[in-house]
Amino acid sequence: MFDIILFKLGETILKGQNRRVFENRLIANIKRRLSSFGRFKIYSLQSTIYAEPQGDCDMEGALEAALTIFGVNTVVRAASCEKNVESIVETACEYLESELETARTFKVESKRSDKSFPMGSIELSQYVGGMLHQRFPNLTPEMKSPELLVNVEVRDLAAYVHGTALTAAGGLPVGVGGRMVALLSGGIDSPVAMHMMAKRGVMLIPVHFYSFPYTSILAKEKVLTLAQTLSPYCGRLMVEYVPFTHIQEAIRDCCPEPLATVLSRRFMIRISEQIALMNNCNALVTGENLGQVASQTTEAMSVIEESATLPILRPLIAFDKKEIIDRARLIGTYETSILPYEDCCSVFSPRRPKTKPRLDEVLAAEAALDIYALVEEALGGIERITA
Ligand code: ATP
Ligand code: MG
């Protein structure tokens, strides 16, 4: 008997001819993610990916990490054994001993993908169930809602015994959905937006705009912490820090105050688009949400959008704030997001922002600025930090 982790694939297996590509990507992601918990042999067979420890591995840590990998529906830690009933029963008794001793009701469920196995799955369940019942007199069989579900899977290479499977992260493997630039502020919304896009298989490059010395060094660190918290889901993230002070000062000094937010957002989008083009990305992602603040009306968003040609994706557009906060808590970014460091937008935000800006007035305001020079200067000052 030896311990193994089984990953049952989610949507990936539905993807017809792309399936191989998706599976290979998922295997690579699992390899990378488990590498810090020891040496694993990782292979795929019959819509399942197997992670077999080679020597001493931190199985608990690996199992927890497995739950954050997109593209996986369920994860189980199982014991593998020889493909005969005696060995299956022995393995179940040993591997699930403490659960078998404490549960009151149980059920055995079997799957048999190796059709040469001499027993059918119902017969196998009955046999194993009977043997367990004999050994553990505390157990009563219960078919509808048993306390303990003992799973037996007879597969190509071996038989596997495990308890209840854990619900994993779902979605698609990161990397199969292309690459995008994500505008990551220190707020609650944009980390949640990143998590949602990563779940659709997108590989993300986070970009953060900061206005030192108006915003503190702590605000920059906060963004790095957010990226680190997202890394288990998104893969290793490299944050692009863009100096934004000169742009915001130029807007403050040369443009009408009520347009400041929308003007600075247009610069963020322009710069993000350049970063996207340099990195083979085909869209931008923001944490915008309809009606939340002045810059998030349809009028403001369409004026902002005009500054780029790449599509701007806004996964949170129709969420309630509470729904976003619940998700932020779940993925672990909330506590960092609410730390009270100023964002560059809040420092320069106008007293009475225009909620329905018109494109013609925005373009007229921008005529006072050397857009090209400001964008080039910001791009030249980018600093990249791996989370
Ligand atoms: P968040 O919680 O993500 O900060 P928000 O509700 O505070 O969002 P805004 O401040 O209007 O809304 O920002 C809208 C979006 O613009 C953010 O979700 C983010 O994608 C982007 N953004 C805002 N400020 C920055 C910044 N300093 N760096 C990078 N992106 C930013
Ligand atoms: Mg914000």
Side-chain angles (χ1 to χ4, degrees), residues 48-83:
T48 298
I49 294 175
Y50 297 69
E52 226 178 86
Q54 311 287 293
D56 230 9
C57 288
D58 171 5
M59 293 297 279
E60 284 299 319
L63 190 68
E64 201 179 314
L67 297 176
T68 61
I69 302 171
F70 288 128
V72 180
N73 252 13
T74 55
V75 174
V76 289
R77 186 172 168 183
S80 81
C81 62
E82 278 178 40
K83 289 198 277 184

Side-chain angles (χ1 to χ4, degrees), residues 183-185 187-190 207 209 265 286-287 292 296 343-344:
L183 283 79
L184 178 62
S185 70
I188 297 169
D189 303 342
S190 39
V207 174
F209 298 87
R265 228 12 86 63
T286 76
Q292 208 180 77
Q296 299 181 13
D343 185 50
C344 64

Side-chain angles (χ1 to χ4, degrees), residues 182-193 207-211 223 244 261 265 268-269 272 285-289 292-296 316 321 324 337 343-346:
L183 283 79
L184 178 62
S185 70
I188 297 169
D189 303 342
S190 39
V192 176
V207 174
H208 178 71
F209 298 87
Y210 68 97
S211 293
V223 169
F244 207 51
T261 308
R265 228 12 86 63
M268 285 188 187
I269 293 296
S272 301
V285 177
T286 76
E288 286 166 306
N289 175 246
Q292 208 180 77
V293 289
S295 62
Q296 299 181 13
L316 303 181
K321 193 72 193 180
I324 301 173
S337 287
D343 185 50
C344 64
C345 303
S346 38

Side-chain angles (χ1 to χ4, degrees), residues 179 181 205 240 270-281 310 376 379-380 382 384:
R179 291 154 66 88
V181 160
I205 299 180
E240 308 246 347
R270 285 189 188 103
I271 294 165
S272 301
E273 180 168 61
Q274 290 309 311
I275 296 172
L277 296 174
M278 287 185 273
N279 289 283
N280 240 332
C281 298
L310 286 180
E376 284 301 303
L379 287 171
I382 288 178
R384 288 176 196 86

Side-chain angles (χ1 to χ4, degrees), residues 259 262-263 266 303 357-367:
L259 294 177
V262 81
L263 290 170
R266 278 167 63 87
V303 168
R358 291 193 327 270
L359 184 59
D360 60 341
E361 63 181 347
V362 168
L363 294 176
E366 278 178 352

